[in-house]
Each structure stands twice: as C-alpha cells, then as structure tokens.
Amino acid sequence: GTLRTRRPDRVMMQGDNIVVVDFKFGKPRKQYNRQVQDYINLLIRMGYPAEHISSYLWYVEQDKVERV
C-alpha cells in the first residue's frame, strides 16, 4: 500500500538486452546491492525476462565496478 519511487541512475536497452547501472560515491554497502536487485525485480514485473537483464554498481570515486 505504500508508494515508493525507485529510479536507477542509468538503464540502457539494446535489442533484448538491458543493463542497469547505479552510481555510488561512498564505500560499498550491502544495501546498495539490494537496491539494484529491487530495480531488476521491477523490470521483471514489467515483463522483461530476467535472463536479459544485467546490473552493476559503479563506485565512482574508487573507479570500481561490481556486478550485481
């Protein structure tokens, strides 16, 4: 019953493939992984097949990319 706004930083689509990227500027935290997983679950609920979705956290200041 609660309305929540969720908005990933970047969603790229090409053909059947979708890439979700969320930029972070602090230290890695487990909650960030859950946040990105929520974005993936939303896309799946919208009808996009899970096998075509890949997602990443980009820790900008550390120049580190982590696949979720």
Side-chain angles (χ1 to χ4, degrees):
T2 303
L3 179 64
R4 294 185 342 183
T5 301
R6 297 183 188 119
R7 187 178 1 204
D9 292 319
R10 181 108 172 139
V11 177
M12 299 168 279
M13 301 172 129
Q14 183 175 22
D16 291 337
N17 297 313
I18 300 171
V19 178
V20 177
V21 180
D22 210 41
F23 307 114
K24 298 299 179 192
F25 293 89
K27 296 179 181 180
R29 293 184 174 175
K30 293 289 183 193
Q31 72 188 42
Y32 297 152
N33 290 47
R34 279 180 270 147
Q35 180 183 16
V36 173
Q37 190 61 50
D38 285 345
Y39 299 147
I40 294 167
N41 292 337
L42 261 172
L43 288 167
I44 292 168
R45 287 176 51 200
M46 292 169 63
Y48 295 101
E51 60 270 12
H52 292 279
I53 302 171
S54 54
S55 58
Y56 302 88
L57 283 164
W58 179 10
Y59 295 98
V60 177
E61 292 172 345
Q62 298 172 355
D63 196 27
K64 176 184 173 185
V65 176
E66 176 183 317
R67 187 171 183 142
V68 178

Coordinates of all heavy atoms in Angstrom, one line a residue:
G1 N 0.8 -1.2 0.0 CA 0.0 0.0 0.0 C 0.8 1.3 0.0 O 0.3 2.3 -0.3
T2 N 2.1 1.2 0.2 CA 2.9 2.4 0.3 C 3.5 2.7 -1.1 O 4.1 1.8 -1.7 CB 4.1 2.3 1.3 OG1 3.5 2.1 2.6 CG2 4.9 3.6 1.4
L3 N 3.4 3.9 -1.6 CA 4.0 4.3 -2.9 C 5.5 4.7 -2.7 O 5.7 5.5 -1.8 CB 3.2 5.4 -3.5 CG 3.7 5.9 -4.8 CD1 3.6 4.8 -5.9 CD2 2.9 7.1 -5.3
R4 N 6.4 4.0 -3.4 CA 7.8 4.4 -3.3 C 8.3 4.6 -4.7 O 8.0 4.0 -5.6 CB 8.6 3.2 -2.7 CG 8.2 3.0 -1.2 CD 9.1 2.0 -0.5 NE 9.8 1.1 -1.4 CZ 10.6 0.1 -0.9 NH1 10.7 -0.2 0.3 NH2 11.2 -0.7 -1.8
T5 N 9.1 5.6 -4.8 CA 9.7 6.0 -6.1 C 11.1 5.3 -6.1 O 11.9 5.4 -5.2 CB 9.9 7.5 -6.2 OG1 8.6 8.1 -6.1 CG2 10.6 7.8 -7.5
R6 N 11.3 4.6 -7.2 CA 12.6 3.9 -7.4 C 13.1 4.4 -8.8 O 12.4 4.3 -9.8 CB 12.5 2.4 -7.4 CG 12.0 1.9 -6.1 CD 11.9 0.4 -6.1 NE 11.3 -0.1 -4.9 CZ 10.2 -0.8 -4.8 NH1 9.6 -1.1 -5.9 NH2 9.7 -1.2 -3.7
R7 N 14.4 4.8 -8.8 CA 14.9 5.3 -10.1 C 16.4 4.9 -10.2 O 17.2 5.6 -9.5 CB 14.7 6.8 -10.1 CG 15.0 7.4 -11.4 CD 14.7 8.8 -11.5 NE 14.2 9.3 -10.2 CZ 13.5 10.4 -10.0 NH1 13.2 11.1 -11.0 NH2 13.1 10.7 -8.8
P8 N 16.8 4.0 -11.0 CA 18.2 3.7 -11.2 C 18.8 4.9 -11.9 O 18.2 5.6 -12.6 CB 18.2 2.4 -12.1 CG 16.9 2.4 -12.7 CD 15.9 3.1 -11.8
D9 N 20.2 5.0 -11.7 CA 20.9 6.1 -12.4 C 20.9 6.0 -13.9 O 20.8 7.0 -14.6 CB 22.3 6.2 -11.8 CG 22.3 6.7 -10.4 OD1 21.5 7.6 -10.0 OD2 23.0 6.1 -9.6
R10 N 21.0 4.7 -14.4 CA 21.2 4.5 -15.8 C 20.6 3.2 -16.2 O 20.9 2.2 -15.6 CB 22.6 4.6 -16.2 CG 22.9 4.4 -17.7 CD 23.3 5.7 -18.2 NE 23.8 5.6 -19.6 CZ 23.5 6.4 -20.5 NH1 22.8 7.5 -20.3 NH2 23.9 6.2 -21.7
V11 N 19.7 3.2 -17.2 CA 19.2 1.9 -17.8 C 19.4 2.0 -19.3 O 19.0 3.0 -19.9 CB 17.7 1.8 -17.5 CG1 17.2 0.5 -18.2 CG2 17.4 1.7 -16.0
M12 N 20.1 1.0 -19.8 CA 20.5 1.0 -21.2 C 19.8 -0.2 -21.9 O 19.9 -1.3 -21.3 CB 22.0 1.0 -21.4 CG 22.7 2.2 -20.9 SD 24.5 2.1 -20.8 CE 24.6 1.1 -19.3
M13 N 19.2 0.0 -23.0 CA 18.5 -1.1 -23.7 C 19.0 -1.2 -25.1 O 19.1 -0.2 -25.8 CB 17.0 -0.9 -23.6 CG 16.4 -0.8 -22.3 SD 14.7 -0.3 -22.3 CE 14.0 -1.6 -21.3
Q14 N 19.3 -2.4 -25.5 CA 19.7 -2.6 -26.9 C 19.1 -4.0 -27.3 O 19.5 -5.0 -26.7 CB 21.2 -2.6 -27.1 CG 21.6 -2.7 -28.6 CD 23.0 -2.5 -28.8 OE1 23.8 -2.7 -27.9 NE2 23.4 -2.2 -30.0
G15 N 18.2 -4.0 -28.2 CA 17.6 -5.3 -28.6 C 16.9 -5.8 -27.4 O 16.1 -5.2 -26.8
D16 N 17.2 -7.1 -27.1 CA 16.5 -7.7 -25.9 C 17.3 -7.5 -24.6 O 16.9 -8.0 -23.6 CB 16.4 -9.3 -26.2 CG 15.4 -9.6 -27.3 OD1 14.5 -8.7 -27.5 OD2 15.5 -10.7 -27.9
N17 N 18.5 -6.9 -24.7 CA 19.3 -6.8 -23.5 C 19.1 -5.5 -22.8 O 19.0 -4.4 -23.4 CB 20.8 -6.9 -23.9 CG 21.1 -8.3 -24.5 OD1 20.7 -9.3 -24.0 ND2 21.7 -8.3 -25.7
I18 N 19.2 -5.6 -21.5 CA 19.0 -4.4 -20.6 C 20.2 -4.4 -19.6 O 20.5 -5.4 -19.0 CB 17.7 -4.5 -19.8 CG1 16.5 -4.5 -20.7 CG2 17.6 -3.3 -18.8 CD1 15.2 -4.8 -20.1
V19 N 20.8 -3.2 -19.4 CA 21.9 -3.1 -18.5 C 21.5 -1.9 -17.5 O 21.1 -0.8 -18.0 CB 23.2 -2.7 -19.1 CG1 24.3 -2.5 -18.1 CG2 23.6 -3.8 -20.1
V20 N 21.5 -2.2 -16.2 CA 21.2 -1.3 -15.2 C 22.5 -0.9 -14.5 O 23.2 -1.8 -14.0 CB 20.2 -1.9 -14.2 CG1 19.9 -0.9 -13.0 CG2 18.9 -2.3 -14.8
V21 N 22.7 0.4 -14.3 CA 23.9 0.9 -13.6 C 23.5 1.9 -12.6 O 22.7 2.8 -12.9 CB 24.9 1.5 -14.6 CG1 26.2 2.0 -13.8 CG2 25.3 0.6 -15.7
D22 N 24.0 1.7 -11.4 CA 23.7 2.7 -10.3 C 25.0 3.2 -9.8 O 25.9 2.4 -9.5 CB 22.9 2.0 -9.2 CG 22.0 3.0 -8.4 OD1 21.4 3.8 -9.1 OD2 22.0 2.9 -7.2
F23 N 25.2 4.5 -9.8 CA 26.4 5.1 -9.4 C 26.4 5.4 -7.9 O 25.4 5.8 -7.4 CB 26.6 6.5 -10.1 CG 26.5 6.4 -11.6 CD1 25.4 7.0 -12.3 CD2 27.4 5.8 -12.4 CE1 25.3 7.0 -13.6 CE2 27.3 5.7 -13.8 CZ 26.3 6.3 -14.4
K24 N 27.6 5.1 -7.3 CA 27.7 5.4 -5.8 C 29.0 6.1 -5.6 O 30.0 6.0 -6.3 CB 27.7 4.1 -5.0 CG 26.5 3.2 -5.2 CD 25.3 4.0 -4.6 CE 24.0 3.2 -4.8 NZ 22.8 4.0 -4.6
F25 N 29.0 7.0 -4.6 CA 30.1 7.9 -4.4 C 30.7 7.6 -3.0 O 31.6 8.4 -2.6 CB 29.7 9.3 -4.5 CG 29.4 9.7 -6.0 CD1 28.1 9.5 -6.4 CD2 30.4 10.1 -6.8 CE1 27.8 9.8 -7.8 CE2 30.1 10.3 -8.1 CZ 28.8 10.2 -8.6
G26 N 30.3 6.6 -2.3 CA 30.9 6.3 -1.0 C 31.4 4.9 -1.0 O 31.7 4.3 -2.0
K27 N 31.5 4.3 0.2 CA 32.1 3.0 0.4 C 31.0 2.0 0.0 O 29.8 2.2 0.2 CB 32.5 2.8 1.8 CG 33.7 3.7 2.2 CD 34.1 3.4 3.7 CE 35.2 4.3 4.0 NZ 35.6 4.1 5.4
P28 N 31.4 0.8 -0.4 CA 30.4 -0.3 -0.7 C 29.6 -0.6 0.5 O 30.1 -0.7 1.6 CB 31.3 -1.5 -1.2 CG 32.6 -0.8 -1.6 CD 32.8 0.4 -0.8
R29 N 28.3 -0.9 0.2 CA 27.4 -1.3 1.3 C 26.5 -2.4 0.7 O 26.1 -2.3 -0.4 CB 26.5 -0.2 1.8 CG 27.3 0.9 2.5 CD 26.4 1.9 3.0 NE 27.1 2.9 3.9 CZ 26.6 3.9 4.4 NH1 25.3 4.2 4.2 NH2 27.3 4.8 5.2
K30 N 26.1 -3.3 1.5 CA 25.2 -4.4 1.1 C 23.8 -3.9 0.7 O 23.2 -4.4 -0.2 CB 25.0 -5.4 2.2 CG 26.2 -6.2 2.6 CD 26.5 -7.2 1.5 CE 27.8 -8.0 1.8 NZ 28.3 -8.8 0.7
Q31 N 23.4 -2.8 1.3 CA 22.1 -2.2 0.9 C 22.1 -1.7 -0.5 O 21.0 -1.7 -1.1 CB 21.7 -1.1 1.9 CG 22.5 0.2 1.7 CD 22.2 1.2 2.7 OE1 22.1 0.9 3.9 NE2 22.1 2.5 2.3
Y32 N 23.2 -1.4 -1.1 CA 23.3 -1.0 -2.5 C 22.9 -2.1 -3.4 O 22.2 -2.0 -4.4 CB 24.6 -0.4 -2.8 CG 25.0 0.9 -2.1 CD1 26.3 1.2 -1.8 CD2 24.0 1.8 -1.6 CE1 26.7 2.4 -1.2 CE2 24.4 2.9 -0.9 CZ 25.7 3.2 -0.7 OH 26.0 4.4 -0.1
N33 N 23.4 -3.3 -3.1 CA 23.1 -4.5 -3.8 C 21.6 -4.8 -3.8 O 21.0 -5.1 -4.8 CB 23.9 -5.7 -3.3 CG 25.4 -5.6 -3.6 OD1 26.0 -4.6 -3.3 ND2 25.9 -6.7 -4.1
R34 N 21.0 -4.6 -2.6 CA 19.5 -4.9 -2.5 C 18.8 -3.8 -3.3 O 17.8 -4.1 -4.0 CB 19.1 -4.8 -1.1 CG 19.4 -6.1 -0.3 CD 18.9 -6.0 1.1 NE 20.1 -5.6 1.8 CZ 20.1 -4.8 2.9 NH1 19.0 -4.4 3.4 NH2 21.3 -4.4 3.4
Q35 N 19.3 -2.6 -3.4 CA 18.6 -1.5 -4.1 C 18.6 -1.9 -5.6 O 17.6 -1.8 -6.3 CB 19.4 -0.2 -3.9 CG 18.8 1.0 -4.6 CD 19.6 2.2 -4.3 OE1 20.8 2.2 -3.9 NE2 19.1 3.3 -4.6
V36 N 19.8 -2.3 -6.1 CA 19.8 -2.7 -7.5 C 19.0 -3.9 -7.8 O 18.3 -4.0 -8.9 CB 21.3 -2.8 -8.0 CG1 21.4 -3.4 -9.4 CG2 22.1 -1.5 -7.9
Q37 N 19.0 -4.8 -6.9 CA 18.1 -6.0 -7.1 C 16.7 -5.6 -7.2 O 15.9 -6.2 -7.9 CB 18.4 -7.0 -6.0 CG 17.7 -8.4 -6.2 CD 18.2 -9.1 -7.5 OE1 19.4 -9.2 -7.7 NE2 17.3 -9.5 -8.3
D38 N 16.3 -4.6 -6.4 CA 14.9 -4.1 -6.5 C 14.6 -3.5 -7.9 O 13.5 -3.7 -8.4 CB 14.6 -3.0 -5.4 CG 14.5 -3.5 -4.0 OD1 14.3 -4.8 -3.9 OD2 14.6 -2.7 -3.1
Y39 N 15.6 -2.8 -8.5 CA 15.4 -2.3 -9.8 C 15.2 -3.5 -10.8 O 14.3 -3.4 -11.7 CB 16.6 -1.5 -10.3 CG 16.9 -0.3 -9.5 CD1 18.2 0.1 -9.3 CD2 15.9 0.5 -8.9 CE1 18.5 1.3 -8.6 CE2 16.2 1.6 -8.2 CZ 17.5 2.0 -8.0 OH 17.8 3.1 -7.3
I40 N 16.0 -4.6 -10.7 CA 15.9 -5.7 -11.5 C 14.5 -6.4 -11.4 O 13.8 -6.7 -12.3 CB 17.0 -6.8 -11.2 CG1 18.3 -6.2 -11.6 CG2 16.7 -8.1 -11.9 CD1 19.5 -7.0 -11.0
N41 N 14.0 -6.5 -10.1 CA 12.7 -7.1 -9.8 C 11.6 -6.3 -10.5 O 10.6 -6.8 -11.0 CB 12.5 -7.3 -8.3 CG 13.4 -8.3 -7.8 OD1 13.9 -9.2 -8.5 ND2 13.7 -8.2 -6.5
L42 N 11.7 -5.0 -10.4 CA 10.7 -4.1 -11.1 C 10.7 -4.3 -12.6 O 9.6 -4.4 -13.2 CB 11.1 -2.6 -10.8 CG 10.3 -2.0 -9.7 CD1 10.9 -0.6 -9.4 CD2 8.9 -1.9 -10.0
L43 N 11.8 -4.4 -13.2 CA 11.9 -4.7 -14.6 C 11.2 -6.0 -15.0 O 10.5 -6.2 -16.0 CB 13.3 -4.6 -15.2 CG 13.9 -3.2 -15.2 CD1 15.4 -3.3 -15.4 CD2 13.3 -2.4 -16.3
I44 N 11.5 -7.0 -14.1 CA 10.9 -8.4 -14.3 C 9.4 -8.3 -14.2 O 8.7 -8.8 -15.0 CB 11.5 -9.4 -13.4 CG1 13.0 -9.6 -13.7 CG2 10.7 -10.7 -13.4 CD1 13.8 -10.4 -12.6
R45 N 8.9 -7.6 -13.2 CA 7.5 -7.4 -13.0 C 6.9 -6.6 -14.2 O 5.7 -6.8 -14.5 CB 7.2 -6.6 -11.7 CG 7.4 -7.5 -10.5 CD 7.2 -6.8 -9.2 NE 6.0 -6.1 -9.1 CZ 5.7 -5.1 -8.3 NH1 6.7 -4.7 -7.4 NH2 4.6 -4.5 -8.2
M46 N 7.7 -5.8 -14.9 CA 7.2 -5.1 -16.0 C 7.2 -6.0 -17.3 O 6.7 -5.5 -18.3 CB 8.0 -3.8 -16.3 CG 7.9 -2.8 -15.2 SD 9.1 -1.5 -15.3 CE 8.8 -0.8 -16.9
G47 N 7.7 -7.2 -17.2 CA 7.6 -8.1 -18.3 C 8.9 -8.4 -19.0 O 8.9 -9.2 -19.9
Y48 N 10.0 -7.8 -18.5 CA 11.3 -8.1 -19.2 C 11.9 -9.4 -18.6 O 11.9 -9.6 -17.4 CB 12.3 -6.9 -18.9 CG 11.8 -5.6 -19.6 CD1 11.2 -4.6 -18.8 CD2 12.0 -5.4 -20.9 CE1 10.8 -3.5 -19.4 CE2 11.6 -4.3 -21.5 CZ 11.0 -3.3 -20.8 OH 10.5 -2.1 -21.4
P49 N 12.4 -10.2 -19.4 CA 12.9 -11.5 -19.0 C 14.2 -11.3 -18.2 O 15.1 -10.6 -18.6 CB 13.2 -12.3 -20.2 CG 13.1 -11.4 -21.4 CD 12.4 -10.1 -20.9
A50 N 14.3 -12.0 -17.0 CA 15.5 -11.9 -16.1 C 16.8 -12.2 -16.8 O 17.8 -11.6 -16.5 CB 15.3 -12.7 -14.9
E51 N 16.7 -13.2 -17.7 CA 18.0 -13.6 -18.4 C 18.6 -12.6 -19.3 O 19.7 -12.7 -19.7 CB 17.8 -15.0 -19.1 CG 16.8 -14.9 -20.2 CD 15.3 -15.3 -19.7 OE1 15.1 -15.3 -18.5 OE2 14.5 -15.5 -20.6
H52 N 17.8 -11.5 -19.6 CA 18.3 -10.5 -20.5 C 18.7 -9.2 -19.7 O 19.0 -8.2 -20.3 CB 17.3 -10.1 -21.5 CG 17.0 -11.2 -22.5 ND1 17.8 -11.4 -23.6 CD2 16.0 -12.1 -22.5 CE1 17.4 -12.4 -24.3 NE2 16.3 -12.9 -23.7
I53 N 18.7 -9.3 -18.4 CA 19.0 -8.1 -17.5 C 20.3 -8.3 -16.8 O 20.5 -9.4 -16.2 CB 17.9 -7.9 -16.5 CG1 16.5 -7.7 -17.1 CG2 18.3 -6.7 -15.6 CD1 15.4 -7.7 -16.2
S54 N 21.2 -7.4 -17.0 CA 22.5 -7.4 -16.2 C 22.5 -6.1 -15.4 O 22.0 -5.1 -15.9 CB 23.7 -7.6 -17.0 OG 23.7 -6.6 -18.1
S55 N 23.2 -6.1 -14.3 CA 23.2 -4.9 -13.4 C 24.5 -4.7 -12.8 O 25.2 -5.7 -12.5 CB 22.1 -5.0 -12.4 OG 22.2 -6.1 -11.6
Y56 N 24.9 -3.5 -12.5 CA 26.2 -3.1 -11.9 C 26.1 -2.0 -11.0 O 25.2 -1.1 -11.1 CB 27.1 -2.7 -13.1 CG 27.3 -3.8 -14.1 CD1 26.5 -3.8 -15.2 CD2 28.3 -4.7 -14.0 CE1 26.6 -4.8 -16.2 CE2 28.5 -5.7 -14.9 CZ 27.6 -5.7 -16.0 OH 27.8 -6.7 -16.9
L57 N 26.9 -2.0 -10.0 CA 27.2 -0.8 -9.1 C 28.5 -0.3 -9.5 O 29.5 -1.0 -9.7 CB 27.3 -1.3 -7.7 CG 25.9 -1.5 -7.0 CD1 26.2 -2.3 -5.7 CD2 25.2 -0.2 -6.7
W58 N 28.6 1.0 -9.7 CA 29.8 1.7 -10.1 C 30.2 2.6 -8.9 O 29.5 3.6 -8.7 CB 29.7 2.5 -11.4 CG 30.9 3.2 -11.8 CD1 32.2 3.1 -11.3 CD2 31.0 4.1 -12.9 NE1 33.0 3.9 -12.0 CE2 32.4 4.5 -13.0 CE3 30.1 4.6 -13.8 CZ2 32.8 5.5 -13.9 CZ3 30.6 5.5 -14.7 CH2 31.9 5.9 -14.8
Y59 N 31.2 2.3 -8.2 CA 31.7 3.1 -7.2 C 32.7 4.1 -7.8 O 33.9 3.8 -8.1 CB 32.4 2.3 -6.1 CG 31.4 1.4 -5.4 CD1 31.3 0.1 -5.7 CD2 30.6 1.9 -4.3 CE1 30.3 -0.8 -5.1 CE2 29.7 1.1 -3.7 CZ 29.6 -0.2 -4.1 OH 28.6 -1.0 -3.4
V60 N 32.2 5.3 -8.1 CA 32.9 6.2 -9.0 C 34.2 6.7 -8.4 O 35.2 6.7 -9.1 CB 32.0 7.5 -9.3 CG1 32.7 8.5 -10.1 CG2 30.7 7.0 -9.9
E61 N 34.3 7.1 -7.1 CA 35.5 7.6 -6.6 C 36.6 6.5 -6.5 O 37.8 6.9 -6.5 CB 35.2 8.2 -5.2 CG 34.3 9.4 -5.2 CD 33.9 9.9 -3.8 OE1 34.0 9.1 -2.9 OE2 33.4 11.0 -3.8
Q62 N 36.2 5.3 -6.4 CA 37.2 4.2 -6.4 C 37.4 3.6 -7.7 O 38.2 2.7 -7.9 CB 36.6 3.1 -5.4 CG 36.5 3.5 -4.0 CD 35.8 2.5 -3.2 OE1 35.3 1.4 -3.7 NE2 35.7 2.7 -1.9
D63 N 36.7 4.1 -8.7 CA 36.7 3.5 -10.1 C 36.6 2.0 -10.1 O 37.3 1.3 -10.7 CB 38.0 4.0 -10.8 CG 37.8 3.7 -12.3 OD1 36.7 3.8 -12.8 OD2 38.9 3.5 -13.0
K64 N 35.6 1.5 -9.3 CA 35.3 0.1 -9.1 C 33.9 -0.2 -9.6 O 33.0 0.4 -9.3 CB 35.5 -0.3 -7.7 CG 35.2 -1.7 -7.4 CD 35.2 -2.0 -5.9 CE 34.8 -3.4 -5.5 NZ 34.7 -3.6 -4.1
V65 N 33.8 -1.2 -10.5 CA 32.5 -1.7 -11.0 C 32.3 -3.1 -10.4 O 33.1 -4.0 -10.5 CB 32.5 -1.7 -12.5 CG1 31.2 -2.3 -13.0 CG2 32.7 -0.3 -13.1
E66 N 31.1 -3.2 -9.9 CA 30.7 -4.5 -9.2 C 29.4 -5.0 -9.9 O 28.4 -4.3 -10.0 CB 30.5 -4.3 -7.8 CG 30.0 -5.5 -7.0 CD 29.7 -5.1 -5.5 OE1 30.5 -4.4 -4.9 OE2 28.7 -5.6 -5.0
R67 N 29.5 -6.2 -10.4 CA 28.3 -6.8 -11.0 C 27.3 -7.3 -9.9 O 27.8 -7.9 -8.9 CB 28.7 -8.0 -11.9 CG 27.5 -8.5 -12.6 CD 27.8 -9.6 -13.6 NE 26.6 -9.9 -14.3 CZ 26.5 -10.2 -15.6 NH1 27.5 -10.1 -16.3 NH2 25.3 -10.5 -16.1
V68 N 26.1 -7.0 -10.0 CA 25.1 -7.4 -9.0 C 24.3 -8.5 -9.6 O 23.9 -8.5 -10.7 CB 24.2 -6.2 -8.7 CG1 23.1 -6.6 -7.7 CG2 25.0 -5.0 -8.2

